[in-house]
Amino acid sequence: MKKTAAFPLALMAALGAVSGAFAAGDPAKGEQAFTLCGTCHTGQAGAIAPDLHGVIGRKAGSQPDFQLYTQALKSADVVWTEETLSEFLKMPGAMIPGTTMAIPVPDETQRGDLIAYLKTLDE
Ligand code: HEC
């Protein structure tokens, strides 16, 4: 995200509240909220959605076992960080038009919790 790199202060000002939510993100609440996600993101081979273990730090659309990525997600020039995940989850199709990931999480605090939970999957 070029904007992120070029204007960190502006971004921090704009997303100040979101950053706060990250800091306070509660992985236990995130795990509960993940019931919204786990029917598709089961983490099993053959699931209809990619395994999210290790998603933070990974390029979008690059989970090696998942064959059903859209071209839109595969060709998106995005690496998953707390910031990009939050933007994506807020309204996936707005960030990456054409993605079949269609579950928006409008609540900022809930996004922070979910991301805190996803981070625990990286360990
Ligand atoms: C109805 C099924 C479904 C549900 C429910 C769902 N997803 Fe997804 N998700 C998908 C699919 C399908 C993709 C792949 C989209 C594509 O290729 O465009 C995806 C992609 C993603 C990605 C990108 C992964 C990557 O490897 O680049 C993330 C992150 C993600 N979902 C998070 C979530 C979270 C968090 C939730 C719960 C709030 C959720 N998803 C709920 C189907 C779902």
Side-chain angles (χ1 to χ4, degrees):
M1 308 248 52
K2 289 185 196 96
K3 255 174 150 177
T4 311
F7 302 111
L9 290 177
L11 184 84
M12 280 168 71
L15 299 185
V18 177
S19 305
F22 292 151
D26 179 339
K29 285 188 188 157
E31 185 171 11
Q32 285 172 8
F34 196 76
T35 52
L36 290 169
C37 323
T39 45
C40 296
H41 294 274
T42 63
Q44 309 288 311
I48 64 163
D51 186 0
L52 295 177
H53 285 81
V55 70
I56 291 173
R58 194 158 73 202
K59 190 192 165 298
S62 70
Q63 208 289 327
D65 300 328
F66 187 65
Q67 310 299 328
L68 303 175
Y69 280 121
T70 56
Q71 195 57 45
L73 195 65
K74 280 193 291 191
S75 59
D77 187 16
V78 171
V79 173
W80 296 127
T81 62
E82 294 183 14
E83 287 77 11
T84 56
L85 278 172
S86 184
E87 185 187 350
F88 181 66
L89 292 175
K90 187 173 179 182
M91 185 55 75
M95 182 182 182
I96 301 179
T99 182
T100 45
M101 163 64 193
I103 309 300
V105 184
D107 186 282
E108 197 171 284
T109 305
Q110 191 172 48
R111 288 201 304 276
D113 291 343
L114 277 166
I115 291 164
Y117 171 64
L118 290 175
K119 283 172 85 172
T120 69
L121 299 181
D122 288 355
E123 284 157 11

